[in-house]
Amino acid sequence: MERRQTANISDIIPGLLPNAFAAHNGISIVKSSQDEVEAALTIGETSLNPYGSLHGGAYYTLADAAGSSLSRMDGRRYVTLRGELDFISSVSSGKVIAKAKLCHRSSVLCHIAIDIVSEEQKLLATGIFTFYCIEKVRELKNSPTNCKVEWNNT
C-alpha cells in the first residue's frame, strides 16, 4: 500500500483554512492567488430549491467561501461583514464556479467582487462582499499587500 505525505493546507496557502460548512455543501477551492480565488460547487439533489434549480443559499455560500478565502490570503483572519449578491440566471446540474477578485484591502476591511458562472462561463450571479479583519494591527515587513498585520496568538 502506497503511503502519501500530507500537509496542512493552511501551512501552504494561508487563505485556504479548513471550512467544514463549505465542505458540507460540496464547495472546494480550485484556484488561488493573492488577488483571485476560484471556488467550485458540484450541484447535487441537496443543493436544489423546490423548483429544481440551484438554491439561492448555495450561490451565496459559494460566493462567501470564495471571498473569505481570498480575504485571508494575506495571512490574517476575517469574518464576513456584508455580502450582496444579484441573481442573474440559474442552472440545475453540473458545476458552478465563483470567481472572486480583490477590489481593495485596507488594514481592517477587504472588498471583493464575485461572479458566479456556469461551466460554460454563463454569468449566473454577481456581487460584492466586504470582510472585516478580526486581528489587531501592526506593520508587517515585506507584505505583498502593504497591509498592517498582527498575529493574535490567544
Side-chain angles (χ1 to χ4, degrees):
M1 181 159 94
E2 184 180 309
R3 193 166 201 173
R4 293 187 200 181
Q5 186 175 13
T6 59
N8 186 341
I9 191 71
S10 61
D11 292 337
I12 301 166
I13 304 170
L16 302 183
L17 296 174
N19 184 331
F21 186 71
H24 172 76
N25 286 284
I27 296 169
S28 60
I29 303 301
V30 295
K31 179 181 171 185
S32 65
S33 72
Q34 288 293 318
D35 298 325
E36 295 182 20
V37 163
E38 288 187 12
L41 181 150
T42 300
I43 299 170
E45 283 185 25
T46 59
S47 53
L48 300 178
N49 66 23
Y51 306 108
S53 297
L54 185 60
H55 194 283
Y59 282 105
Y60 193 93
T61 299
L62 176 61
D64 189 55
S68 63
S69 291
L70 179 54
S71 70
R72 293 189 304 268
M73 292 307 275
D74 68 353
R76 299 186 295 163
R77 297 183 305 159
Y78 289 81
V79 294
T80 307
L81 182 64
R82 177 181 169 278
E84 179 179 316
L85 193 63
D86 294 326
F87 301 99
I88 310 295
S89 189
S90 193
V91 291
S92 57
S93 63
K95 187 180 284 191
V96 291
I97 300 130
K99 297 181 177 189
K101 294 185 181 187
L102 182 65
C103 297
H104 175 77
R105 187 184 295 277
S106 72
S107 61
V108 293
L109 296 178
C110 188
H111 300 279
I112 296 173
I114 301 171
D115 286 340
I116 299 178
V117 298
S118 68
E119 291 176 286
E120 296 78 26
Q121 300 303 305
K122 178 182 178 184
L123 183 64
L124 303 173
T126 186
I128 188 90
F129 280 64
T130 304
F131 298 89
Y132 178 76
C133 183
I134 58 173
E135 296 186 30
K136 296 178 185 174
V137 177
R138 71 171 168 81
E139 287 294 328
L140 178 66
K141 293 180 181 177
N142 302 321
S143 171
T145 57
N146 296 321
C147 290
K148 297 174 184 254
V149 178
E150 180 175 300
W151 302 108
N152 185 352
N153 295 323
T154 58

